[in-house]
Amino acid sequence: MKPEITTLGTFPAPLSRRDFLAAAMASVALLAFDQCAFADTNPGGAVFEKASQRAADLVKQMTIEEVIQQTVHHAPALPKLKLARYNYWSEALHGVNVDGPITSFPQPIALGCSWNPELVHQVYTAVSDEARAYHNKTGYGLTYFSPATVNMGLRDPRWGRCEENFSEDPLLVQTLAVQTTRAMQGDHPKYLKTVACAKHYVCNETDTDRDYADAAPDRRSFWEYYTRGFEACVTEGQVFTVMASYNSLWGVPCVADPMLLTEILRKRWGFKGYVVSDCDAVADIYRTHHYVQTGPEAAALAIKAGSDLNCGDTYSQHLMKAFQDKLVSEEAVRAALTRVLTGRFLLGEFDPPADVPWAGLSPEIIEGQKHRDLAREAARQT
């Protein structure tokens, strides 16, 4: 059974306690709704392999110095290869985070209260529509650092970013995060609509000490509570970006942890996209965690662990020295950039606009009446 969106402009009648409990149980049942309702048609198989090969061919034409300069979020232009300057840092937590007009939807903490996966899918379909339309108008990037936030921060309201998360319940979080991811990335068999990001991986539920805190959950909590949302985003939502968090896990900074980024994420869950660090998290490997002593050591560890893109400047400042000192191989650096650029090929950046299904999406839809009505209805259901 699929959840239904209530008619726009109507308010639910008051519920008795008995009716409320019955409705709550029905809502729980909705979380088990057929995940196939939104078919898995994101680019995969031969389409993904072709995009990956095109990215690899582009990277082969770069010097190692040029490759390294492309591994940060504010990548410079490379005119000889017709590679435009690009900022991978865009945000769309509850609407594209730019000056208006833009439609502002309820925060995830509110959307979680709707217990309505289909509503969440509709909301983020509208967000990604506006993201594409705004891109068509301004050139604003299509690679997002949010949504979806799948940390479990609502356990403790002192977490300063609890409004970013859907719930303290892992089943509800994973269900809504999957729908968010699918809606942001679209269902086209060849192209990604935008690149969504599952963050902050993992056990990142504190604020003031997040740059140096060490998370040490018991193993059962790690698998059953903290990772379920991330696993679902990868295996069911095919999210194309995962953000590695500031904190360490069992003594190892997450951004430099091969168990998290390679063994679990890529090998166990089959992740095909790229890992981005939280901003300046690679620098934290040596500055706050003191896991190593220098920037080159930190950059090398992060690359080898599986952190492909550095939000910050640690790679551009220190990765060349790490390469020269043989702390990291050229192959590993090139492989990281290949994974990052594969996302841009899947977005259609290097194809004729006529081939990309959203290239003609008009800016007139931004904060249009249809989206305003959806935002109002979403607020009512929350």
Side-chain angles (χ1 to χ4, degrees):
M1 180 177 65
K2 288 186 183 180
E4 295 183 356
I5 306 281
T6 58
T7 303
L8 292 173
T10 62
F11 290 90
L15 295 178
S16 68
R17 181 177 178 181
R18 177 178 295 177
D19 290 339
F20 173 79
L21 292 174
M25 293 304 295
S27 296
V28 172
L30 290 178
L31 295 180
F33 83 116
D34 184 6
Q35 291 288 348
C36 293
F38 301 104
D40 174 17
T41 55
N42 272 340
V47 172
F48 172 83
E49 294 302 328
K50 182 178 179 180
S52 180
Q53 186 59 56
R54 291 174 71 188
D57 291 342
L58 186 62
V59 172
K60 285 178 183 177
Q61 300 177 61
M62 302 180 193
T63 66
I64 185 62
E65 293 87 354
E66 291 167 339
V67 171
I68 288 171
Q69 292 304 310
Q70 292 293 319
T71 59
V72 292
H73 76 274
H74 49 95
L78 195 53
K80 73 174 188 178
L81 298 178
K82 299 181 180 179
L83 188 63
R85 181 181 63 171
Y86 196 88
N87 191 339
Y88 291 87
W89 187 352
S90 301
E91 303 278 0
L93 184 67
H94 62 108
V96 182
N97 187 24
V98 294
D99 292 336
I102 209 83
T103 307
S104 182
F105 292 91
Q107 290 272 15
I109 191 174
L111 292 172
C113 295
S114 73
W115 291 71
N116 191 335
E118 189 170 329
L119 172 68
V120 170
H121 191 273
Q122 290 189 6
V123 165
Y124 286 101
T125 295
V127 171
S128 58
D129 281 347
E130 295 201 2
R132 271 287 179 172
Y134 193 79
H135 168 79
N136 295 341
K137 178 181 179 181
T138 67
Y140 190 70
L142 293 169
T143 52
Y144 283 84
F145 285 0
S146 66
T149 301
V150 289
N151 298 118
M152 306 307 298
L154 286 178
R155 293 180 63 191
D156 188 339
R158 292 173 298 179
W159 186 49
R161 300 170 67 173
C162 59
E163 78 282 355
E164 296 186 25
N165 186 239
F166 291 110
S167 173
E168 73 279 14
D169 177 78
L171 177 58
L172 182 58
V173 167
Q174 72 181 59
T175 301
L176 300 187
V178 166
Q179 297 315 317
T180 298
T181 300
R182 290 176 171 177
M184 287 297 294
Q185 296 191 165
D187 59 2
H188 196 274
K190 185 177 179 180
Y191 293 108
L192 291 172
K193 191 177 184 184
T194 70
V195 168
C197 180
K199 68 179 188 181
H200 313 80
Y201 183 61
V202 63
C203 299
N204 179 227
E205 283 83 29
T206 61
D207 202 44
T208 57
D209 62 349
R210 60 183 178 167
D211 290 319
Y212 58 85
D214 180 51
D218 63 86
R219 266 51 176 181
R220 181 172 181 176
S221 295
F222 175 76
W223 290 112
E224 295 187 4
Y225 191 74
Y226 292 105
T227 64
R228 286 182 66 174
F230 291 99
E231 181 179 6
C233 280
V234 172
T235 60
E236 298 177 32
Q238 285 78 53
V239 70
F240 205 79
T241 310
V242 171
M243 178 179 284
S245 58
Y246 289 115
N247 58 286
S248 61
L249 177 71
W250 299 314
V252 182
C254 292
V255 75
D257 192 341
M259 179 196 71
L260 285 177
L261 305 183
T262 299
E263 296 300 322
I264 295 176
L265 188 60
R266 296 192 184 279
K267 294 183 179 179
R268 181 168 182 152
W269 295 343
F271 178 62
K272 299 296 185 183
Y274 62 89
V275 173
V276 62
S277 73
D278 208 339
C279 295
D280 289 327
V282 178
D284 288 344
I285 297 171
Y286 74 100
R287 288 181 182 172
T288 57
H289 290 294
H290 306 296
Y291 192 71
V292 293
Q293 298 303 309
T294 68
E297 290 176 293
L301 278 181
I303 283 284
K304 290 190 292 185
S307 291
D308 304 307
L309 183 67
N310 175 203
C311 181
D313 297 309
T314 306
Y315 282 179
S316 57
Q317 292 178 359
H318 298 293
L319 198 51
M320 178 55 70
K321 183 69 163 61
F323 168 70
Q324 293 170 342
D325 291 348
K326 302 186 185 308
L327 299 177
V328 65
S329 69
E330 181 175 350
E331 180 184 13
V333 179
R334 289 185 181 274
L337 182 59
T338 297
R339 288 190 284 266
V340 173
L341 289 179
T342 298
R344 288 171 66 177
F345 275 98
L346 290 172
L347 287 167
E349 179 180 340
F350 304 94
D351 292 346
D355 292 349
V356 182
W358 307 281
L361 207 56
S362 171
E364 293 181 1
I365 71 166
I366 298 174
E367 207 184 26
Q369 191 59 48
K370 180 180 178 180
H371 289 176
R372 290 168 65 91
D373 289 344
L374 177 60
R376 181 176 290 109
E377 176 61 19
R380 286 172 176 155
Q381 292 202 29
T382 64

